[in-house]
Amino acid sequence: MRLSEHLLEKVEINKKKIGELLLEHTSLTQKQLTEALKHQEEEEKLLGEILLEKNYIHPHDIIKVMCHQINIPYVTDLKIDEIDPDLVRDISINYAKHHEILPLLETDYSVTVAMADPFNFNAINDIGGIFKKEINIVCTTPLKLSDAINRIFEKANKDLVDTIEDEFEENLDLDGPIDILDASADEAPVIRFVNSIIFRAVKERASDIHIEPFEKEVIYRFRINRVMTEILRQPKKTHAAVSSRIKVMAKLDIAEKRLPQDGRIKIKIAGKDIDIRLSTVPVQNGERIVMRVLEKNNTVLELEHLGFQGKVLSGLKELATKKHGVLYVTGPTGHGKTTTLFAVLERMNTPDRMIITVEDPVEYEIPGISQIQVNSKIDLSFAMALRAILRQNPDVVMVGETRDQETAEMAIQASLTGHFVLSTLHTNDASSAPTRLIDMGVQPFLISSSLVGVLAQRLVRKLCNECKEPTTLTDYEMQTLEVDQIPKDANVCKPVGCDHCSGTGYEGMTVVAELLEISDRIRQLIIQKVDASIIKKAAMEEGMVTLGMDATNKIFNGTTSVEEVLRAIISAAEEE
């Protein structure tokens, strides 16, 4: 929240009293206050501005003491379970978040509202006009208020499902993007329910929405940071309406329930373009629906921001300067291989290079790069598209996935004729990639002469910086991680859970990776068709950082936890 100018001016009116209140109600020290007052004598600035610039106080600290001065209650617990969701029926969530205001309690004569800035008179007048009653104000922190707004509006939308009927009718014009937040109160309840599910998925940064029908109920689950989380359960009778609504949004055949269907939905949420890939599959109790949620912000993260570091990062940057060769990124589905490829492409995307990609589907639309969508309906496969691409004389080619011998051989031939090729492959680790290509039928001498590097990666959840706590490794954990001793500067932490991370203890994802750079020794081993373990051993002798070593480093620097590494990397490797 940004403090309004008039609020800072009020801090200046009685700086002595404000200073005393800040000392009494916040962590501000007398030394800091004295320093700020001295600084104010040298520069013509408000006391509040100086204290904020020096990070001696938080914005809500000033709100707290101002509320104390003008006798407005300042609360830290809004008791969300006691708030009636009907109070927000006539207010949009956009308005509530923009003005940081939420109705809490309505009586015959007044309405109590929570605010972050009690001097936002426009919002107070607006709420007074809606309820036609006297407005009573309580203040709280912006974080607490934002969480309350999200949960109350979510609860208000969730209650709508009780009125969904078995019949379904839809007459909306779907030619353009649908604005989810534009749904008016008189729209069909099923529309508002589906909108609220999608809105919540975007808000919680879910990558997938799973709708699973069973005998008596339908379960809604989100995949957040690679972990499935159950959101809600609804009666089975609601599924037909929800399924039909989603199919209409994707322009699919709502009458066809016996065959799988794939579609695409383009929507807008709070001005953001969201692309949803829809897949339906008939199961015993109805149609199972999965929606892949992609935010089309045209922003490709840099390699550093994805979590690459050390020798892996420097090696990737070096490979991005090469003029020819093949670079494979390997790993399980959903572990960020395409995102990494585009981060590498972004480094190579210069005016003097022509870049063409063939993908299934096109997930990122990048200016300066020509992108081709695979289409099985017209037999436009990776191999066919790659064959056509090479006649366009590109400098760099990205093939979304190497699935068969034909695609692999064409990619290698392209690299041997002066092109740099990037692609993905499904293997357990980097050292297994040459063996996998040989199993596809590619000749070892072609692999050794074209392959320049293989990057294997996994995604792990990052610990929440607001609540993580220091911990120590047990003997079992050290044995499992193959660690002999812990570095002196290690910062091993464990997840706790707080409001900031929704009680999970984790926030966001980072990558754990190993990069196999093809040296002359590795090339000889590939030609000899040796086992992947021998290639890995040779690469480690040449300094390769393995997945386990990179994961351990991220545990020691407090980025992730032992539990997360055991779940996402070691357990997954044992299953594979």
Side-chain angles (χ1 to χ4, degrees), residues 249-295:
M249 294 175 73
K251 299 183 180 180
L252 299 180
D253 183 359
I254 64 173
E256 181 55 75
K257 300 181 180 180
R258 300 166 300 172
L259 296 174
Q261 295 189 69
D262 294 321
R264 186 172 178 174
I265 302 172
K266 293 182 179 180
I267 60 176
K268 280 184 176 291
I269 296 182
K272 296 180 180 178
D273 290 323
I274 307 296
D275 198 1
I276 296 177
R277 307 298 168 88
L278 174 67
S279 173
T280 69
V281 175
V283 294
Q284 185 176 0
N285 296 292
E287 287 183 285
R288 191 181 191 281
I289 299 172
V290 176
M291 293 184 280
R292 185 80 182 269
V293 183
L294 300 169
E295 184 176 330

Side-chain angles (χ1 to χ4, degrees), residues 111-166:
V111 173
T112 300
V113 298
M115 303 183 70
D117 181 358
F119 299 98
N120 187 346
F121 301 114
N122 290 334
I124 296 172
N125 293 335
D126 289 342
I127 297 297
I130 291 174
F131 288 95
K132 310 295 184 184
K133 295 179 180 180
E134 180 182 348
I135 302 299
N136 298 322
I137 301 172
V138 299
C139 280
T140 188
T141 66
L143 186 62
K144 292 284 186 183
L145 186 58
S146 177
D147 178 62
I149 290 172
N150 287 334
R151 292 170 64 180
I152 293 302
F153 275 88
E154 178 184 308
K155 185 177 179 181
N157 286 332
K158 184 178 177 181
D159 292 341
L160 295 172
V161 74
D162 296 333
T163 59
I164 294 179
E165 301 294 337
D166 289 331

Side-chain angles (χ1 to χ4, degrees), residues 184-237:
S184 58
D186 58 351
E187 285 181 331
V190 65
I191 299 176
R192 297 160 66 192
F193 173 70
V194 171
N195 288 356
S196 70
I197 291 294
I198 298 175
F199 174 77
R200 178 173 175 180
V202 174
K203 181 192 72 175
E204 297 186 10
R205 298 183 179 180
S207 61
D208 302 271
I209 304 171
H210 291 251
I211 304 176
E212 303 163 290
F214 294 96
E215 184 178 358
K216 295 182 179 180
E217 61 186 354
V218 182
I219 298 178
Y220 292 78
R221 297 197 293 171
F222 291 168
R223 186 180 293 279
I224 304 173
N225 293 337
R226 296 291 310 156
V227 177
M228 293 290 286
T229 304
E230 183 176 318
I231 301 303
L232 59 98
R233 298 184 176 216
Q234 294 300 331
K236 175 69 182 302
K237 66 179 182 179

Side-chain angles (χ1 to χ4, degrees), residues 100-111:
E100 294 180 313
I101 189 168
L102 177 69
L104 301 178
L105 177 67
E106 182 180 17
T107 66
D108 293 337
Y109 305 103
S110 66
V111 173

